[in-house]
Amino acid sequence: MDFVGAYAPAHLKFLLEGFVVTLEVAFLSIFFSFLIGIIIGVLRYSRIPFLSPVLAVGVETIRNLPLLLIIFFTYFALPEVGFKLDKFYAAILALVIFESAMLSEIVRSGLNSIEKGQIEAARSSGLTYTQTLWHIVLPQALRRMVPPIVGQFISLLKDTSLAVVIALPELMNHAQIINGQNVNYVIPIFLLVAVMYFVVNYSLSLVSRRLEHKHT
């Protein structure tokens, strides 16, 4: 194991550049999947005729597919029908599709956890269904959803490493390039990569615990 050679300034800079791409992909995927997940979760909770069952089929289908297959689809299959995406956007689209389905189920479960008595009380006080959902149900449900949502965000950050299969220049891709220069770099580089993932994911888990305690 060559720790000195593996941690040369040029290698560290190269890894950080890949880590920046990882964080960019993760942030954009989290932002869009969270918004879409909330919308789909609310629509499924509302049990709108025809729409809710169709969304349920779509969500269950995506949740039971491997993310790697979705990444292959967005990068290799979409160009066959005229939609060619850059590696960066293909990875984001795949993650958004997959994570939106996961988050929508968390949202739907959170909404269903709110006691029916509160909903009935709100409706009897004159609030419309939309007002009850927006002012009574959703705020409480979101507080209960914080731990599983943050857990899903952590999972998403780790899942960005799967984009290495389409050669997205993210952290794992850059790590493999460095490892290809010298077999003695493999353990030191992967140890450093593990630490980088751990620091970010553990920080997210601490934020989740603090938010959970704040609202209890």
Side-chain angles (χ1 to χ4, degrees):
M1 291 183 289
D2 183 1
F3 281 86
V4 175
Y7 296 158
H11 291 164
L12 296 179
K13 181 176 181 293
F14 192 57
L15 283 177
L16 284 174
E17 290 171 354
F19 197 41
V20 168
V21 174
T22 292
L23 295 178
E24 288 175 346
V25 170
F27 175 78
L28 291 172
S29 300
I30 285 171
F31 177 76
F32 289 110
S33 62
F34 181 62
L35 292 180
I36 296 171
I38 287 180
I39 293 171
I40 295 175
V42 169
L43 290 175
R44 288 192 64 194
Y45 171 79
S46 300
R47 297 180 181 175
I48 301 171
F50 181 73
L51 180 59
S52 294
V54 169
L55 289 174
V57 171
V59 166
E60 290 305 316
T61 299
I62 293 170
R63 289 178 67 223
N64 287 284
L65 293 177
L67 176 55
L68 192 60
L69 177 62
I70 300 175
I71 293 174
F72 280 143
F73 179 82
T74 58
Y75 188 67
F76 295 111
L78 286 184
E80 298 297 319
V81 292
F83 296 98
K84 183 171 177 58
L85 295 174
D86 176 81
K87 296 172 184 176
F88 184 81
Y89 295 107
I92 289 175
L93 178 60
L95 286 166
V96 168
I97 290 172
F98 187 76
E99 298 300 333
S100 294
M102 297 297 184
L103 288 169
S104 72
E105 189 61 22
I106 293 174
V107 170
R108 188 180 70 87
S109 299
L111 292 171
N112 282 328
S113 72
I114 303 302
E115 295 75 11
K116 299 299 181 183
Q118 293 192 48
I119 300 173
E120 293 170 359
R123 295 301 303 277
S124 64
S125 67
L127 293 180
T128 64
Y129 177 81
T130 303
Q131 289 172 329
T132 301
L133 183 63
W134 183 256
H135 296 290
I136 305 298
V137 180
L138 195 55
Q140 294 185 72
L142 284 173
R143 286 195 290 270
R144 297 182 183 184
M145 287 184 259
V146 167
I149 285 177
V150 174
Q152 195 61 44
F153 289 165
I154 291 172
S155 176
L156 186 154
L157 180 61
K158 292 184 289 187
D159 286 342
T160 58
S161 62
L162 291 175
V164 72
V165 299
I166 58 173
L168 178 72
E170 45 76 58
L171 181 58
M172 284 300 297
N173 175 265
H174 282 201
Q176 288 187 342
I177 291 173
I178 295 173
N179 290 336
Q181 298 175 10
N182 189 328
V183 69
N184 293 319
Y185 293 167
V186 173
I187 292 179
I189 289 297
F190 280 149
L191 283 174
L192 180 57
V193 168
V195 169
M196 295 168 79
Y197 276 117
F198 174 80
V199 168
V200 176
N201 288 330
Y202 188 66
S203 299
L204 284 174
S205 67
L206 290 179
V207 171
S208 172
R209 291 175 195 171
R210 178 165 293 186
L211 289 173
E212 187 179 3
H213 291 160
K214 183 178 179 180
H215 295 293
T216 55

